[in-house]
Amino acid sequence: MSKLRRQISANTANTAETKDLNVIKGKTGNVYESIAIIAKRANQINISLKEELHNKLEEFASHTDSLEEIHENKEQIEISRAYERMPNPALLATQEFLDDKIYYRKNEDDLFS
């Protein structure tokens, strides 16, 4: 099981719940900046989950060009269902942000001056 999947099963509920915007705003001082950080992390999580799922399902792929009937594989279906039951990447990213597990920095104009 991947590190991300262990983290998902341990920390996050599978349902959306309301969050206090003042708490989210308090981390960066700007609610839009906080949401942009959460969105970028959610995109990272989504990409890694897609890659992981694709790699697992690639094991079951048939690379022949025959017209034989495609058989449903129960293991493949279970893997797909497990990923469908996972929480939304935005929920995971929001929880990581609120738990201070995301590193971010503000790009200053005078950084190289």
Side-chain angles (χ1 to χ4, degrees), residues 29-44:
N30 184 339
V31 70
Y32 299 107
E33 186 176 345
S34 297
I35 291 173
I37 292 167
I38 291 169
K40 287 179 183 180
R41 177 61 183 141
N43 190 29
Q44 291 173 345

Side-chain angles (χ1 to χ4, degrees), residues 15-71:
T15 58
E17 51 188 52
T18 58
K19 305 289 183 192
D20 186 8
L21 283 180
N22 292 324
V23 174
I24 294 174
K25 179 184 174 184
K27 303 272 184 186
T28 61
N30 184 339
V31 70
Y32 299 107
E33 186 176 345
S34 297
I35 291 173
I37 292 167
I38 291 169
K40 287 179 183 180
R41 177 61 183 141
N43 190 29
Q44 291 173 345
I45 292 170
N46 191 32
I47 289 170
S48 66
L49 286 175
K50 279 185 181 181
E51 287 175 354
E52 186 177 323
L53 176 61
H54 179 69
N55 290 338
K56 286 186 178 184
L57 293 179
E58 187 69 26
E59 297 172 7
F60 301 105
S62 175
H63 297 292
T64 59
D65 291 337
S66 65
L67 296 176
E68 296 176 2
E69 183 179 343
I70 298 173
H71 299 286

